[in-house]
Amino acid sequence: MRPNTLKRTAVSIVAAAGIAAGSLAGATVSSAAADTTVKQTAVTGEVSTLAVYNFGLSSSQAKGIQRWLAARWDYNDSIDGQLGTNSWKAFQRHLKASHGYGGSIDGIPGSNTIKALQRKLSQSSYGYDGPIDGIAGPGTRAAFKKFADWASSAY
């Protein structure tokens, strides 16, 4: 009888080990899925944080630009003082029509958008006299603030 008891014990141990291994494998898959969800959430949060480019403008100044864009360049989003994707799409439409912007209307104020903005700010009385280099440095920001002050008073 002892050999049968030994066989049953061995079979029980192997079965228990198999169940435990399956549970651990399931836990690993669950953990991996949870990690993926966390990473996706983190990336989504980062993108929304980086989507606003006010370039030193106050909320009030940015609202003035949004009102100007709404009046003249088909901006139809919130007047919230946050120059996000839709604000920059409208601004890119303006820059494309009048200031040599040749890029896509994607709402991302990259170097080509900034170069066109610098051309705009240098051709007007906004005081930009620096290089057309696509870098939103102190001179570009100061002139952009003058433009925003004008837009705030006009719109």
Side-chain angles (χ1 to χ4, degrees), residues 9-25:
T9 303
V11 169
S12 296
I13 290 171
V14 170
I19 290 170
S23 296
L24 289 175

Side-chain angles (χ1 to χ4, degrees), residues 27-118:
T28 302
V29 171
S30 297
S31 297
D35 287 346
T36 302
T37 303
V38 170
K39 288 178 185 172
Q40 288 173 343
T41 302
V43 169
T44 301
E46 185 177 352
V47 169
S48 65
T49 301
L50 296 177
V52 174
Y53 301 95
N54 278 16
F55 295 113
L57 298 183
S58 69
S59 175
S60 176
Q61 289 169 319
K63 285 179 182 179
I65 287 183
Q66 288 173 322
R67 285 191 295 274
W68 174 76
L69 291 170
R72 309 219 26 206
W73 296 101
D74 297 325
Y75 174 71
N76 56 14
D77 208 345
S78 306
I79 307 295
D80 60 2
Q82 301 292 312
L83 299 180
T85 303
N86 289 331
S87 298
W88 282 104
K89 282 181 179 179
F91 216 117
Q92 286 170 331
R93 285 192 289 274
H94 164 65
L95 295 171
K96 184 171 234 148
S98 304
H99 300 287
Y101 176 67
S104 62
I105 306 299
D106 59 6
I108 300 168
S111 63
N112 287 331
T113 302
I114 301 303
K115 284 178 184 178
L117 177 62
Q118 288 169 331

